[in-house]
Amino acid sequence: MKEFFSYFFGQGESGEFEYFTLAHFLPLTIAGIIIFLIYKFRTQLAAYKHEDKIRLGLAFACIINEMSYFWRLVGVPSLGANPVDHLPISICGWAIIFSGFLLTTKNKTLFDVTYFWVFSGTIFALITPAVITTTGPTRFRYYQFWLEHLLGYFAVFYMIFVHKMRPTWKSMLKSGCFLIVLAAVAILTNSMFEGANYLFLAKTAEAASILDILPKNYLLRLTIMAVAITALFYLAYLPWQFIDRKRRLQEQAETR
C-alpha cells in the first residue's frame, strides 16, 4: 500500500502524458457532457429545493481540489517542493478559488473576474497542459490538474444557465484590473527570486506549450501577452454582444 501511494502521489517521468491523446481529450469530452447536462436541466436545477446544496458541493470540490495541490507538495517529501516555486500567484489557482466563493455567494464581481479568467486564462492550460507532461492517468496530479482547470468552467456555466448571470463591458474592465494586479505581483516576485516564472512572464514552461511562440525579449513578450489577453477578453464577451444585438433587433421588430 505504501508503494502504491508513493507512486500515485509521486512525480512521474517525462513523457507520461502526451498532448492530443486519449488522456488529453477524455477529460475535455467529459467536461463538455457535464456542461451540456447543466444546460439541459437548467430549469429543473433552478427550481430544485436543495439547489443551494448543489452549489455548496461544487464549491467544496473547488476549494478542496486547490488545497490538495499544496497538501501533496507538503506530504510527499520526494517531490522536493521549493516554496518559492509554489506561491499562490496563478490565474488558474485564483480562478478556482473565486469559483468556490462565487458558487456560495453569487457575488457579481466574483462572477465577472472568474468568467474572463476562466475563458481567457485557463484556456491555454487546456490546449497544452505543459505542467503535467510527467504525470499520466495513473498519478494523482493528473486528476487534480484537470479538476482544477475544469471546475471553474462548471461553476461559470452553472451560474449562467441556472442563475442567469452574465458579464458586461464593465465586467471586462473589472476583471482586467484584477489581472493587472496579479501580473504586477507576478513580475515583482519573478524579479525577487531567481528562477521564478509566475504567469510564465519570465519564460515559457519547461515542456512544450502554446506560449513557446512568444519572443524571449522581456518587454516584447509582455506587450504581446497583454495584447493577446485583451483579444481573448473581447472574444469571451463576443457571444454576449451577439445576444444583445439579437434582442435589440427583436425589440425593434416588435415595436414596428
Side-chain angles (χ1 to χ4, degrees):
M1 184 63 71
K2 184 177 179 181
E3 291 181 359
F4 167 77
F5 281 107
S6 177
Y7 175 87
F8 183 64
F9 290 101
Q11 177 64 29
E13 300 178 0
S14 179
E16 282 193 21
F17 175 86
E18 296 181 359
Y19 299 155
F20 314 123
T21 60
L22 180 62
H24 189 170
F25 288 124
L26 186 59
L28 299 177
T29 302
I30 294 173
I33 294 172
I34 292 173
I35 291 169
F36 171 76
L37 292 174
I38 293 173
Y39 172 77
K40 182 177 177 61
F41 296 103
R42 63 192 184 282
T43 303
Q44 293 90 328
L45 287 169
Y48 182 49
K49 64 179 181 179
H50 297 302
E51 184 275 332
D52 60 328
K53 291 182 173 58
I54 296 176
R55 285 187 289 108
L56 184 61
L58 186 53
F60 181 78
C62 290
I63 300 302
I64 290 297
N65 178 266
E66 181 61 16
M67 292 174 67
S68 70
Y69 173 79
F70 296 98
W71 289 340
R72 170 176 171 265
L73 294 175
V74 173
V76 184
S78 62
L79 294 175
N82 180 357
V84 172
D85 296 329
H86 301 283
L87 297 175
I89 309 174
S90 72
I91 293 177
C92 300
W94 279 108
I96 195 66
I97 292 172
F98 289 155
S99 295
F101 286 102
L102 164 64
L103 289 161
T104 55
T105 64
K106 295 190 284 188
N107 181 276
K108 183 60 168 60
T109 297
L110 285 174
F111 174 81
D112 294 340
V113 176
T114 304
Y115 177 87
F116 286 101
W117 283 24
V118 162
F119 284 104
S120 304
T122 65
I123 188 68
F124 293 116
L126 299 182
I127 297 172
T128 52
V131 297
I132 60 166
T133 53
T134 60
T135 307
T138 58
R139 308 278 186 174
F140 169 82
R141 172 61 172 144
Y142 172 86
Y143 299 97
Q144 188 277 328
F145 169 87
W146 287 110
L147 284 173
E148 178 182 23
H149 292 80
L150 294 174
L151 282 170
Y153 285 88
F154 300 159
V156 168
F157 278 115
Y158 188 92
M159 299 310 292
I160 290 173
F161 295 145
V162 179
H163 291 280
K164 311 301 182 184
M165 298 187 78
R166 58 154 294 173
T168 64
W169 279 109
K170 289 183 180 179
S171 304
M172 192 188 307
L173 295 174
K174 191 185 303 181
S175 181
C177 290
F178 274 81
L179 184 57
I180 290 172
V181 172
L182 184 64
V185 173
I187 292 171
L188 178 62
T189 305
N190 291 343
S191 66
M192 291 174 60
F193 300 104
E194 184 179 356
N197 187 30
Y198 290 101
L199 303 189
F200 300 110
L201 292 174
K203 58 182 180 180
T204 58
E206 295 297 327
S209 78
I210 196 171
L211 297 178
D212 290 342
I213 63 175
L214 295 175
K216 296 185 181 299
N217 181 276
Y218 188 64
L219 291 178
L220 186 57
R221 181 185 185 83
L222 288 180
T223 302
I224 292 176
M225 291 183 77
V227 172
I229 289 295
T230 301
L232 288 170
F233 269 39
Y234 178 75
L235 287 175
Y237 186 70
L238 197 57
W240 299 100
Q241 277 194 295
F242 288 129
I243 292 172
D244 291 341
R245 184 173 182 274
K246 183 178 180 181
R247 184 181 295 116
R248 285 195 299 270
L249 291 174
Q250 289 178 340
E251 291 174 351
Q252 291 172 2
E254 291 172 359
T255 57
R256 290 176 182 173

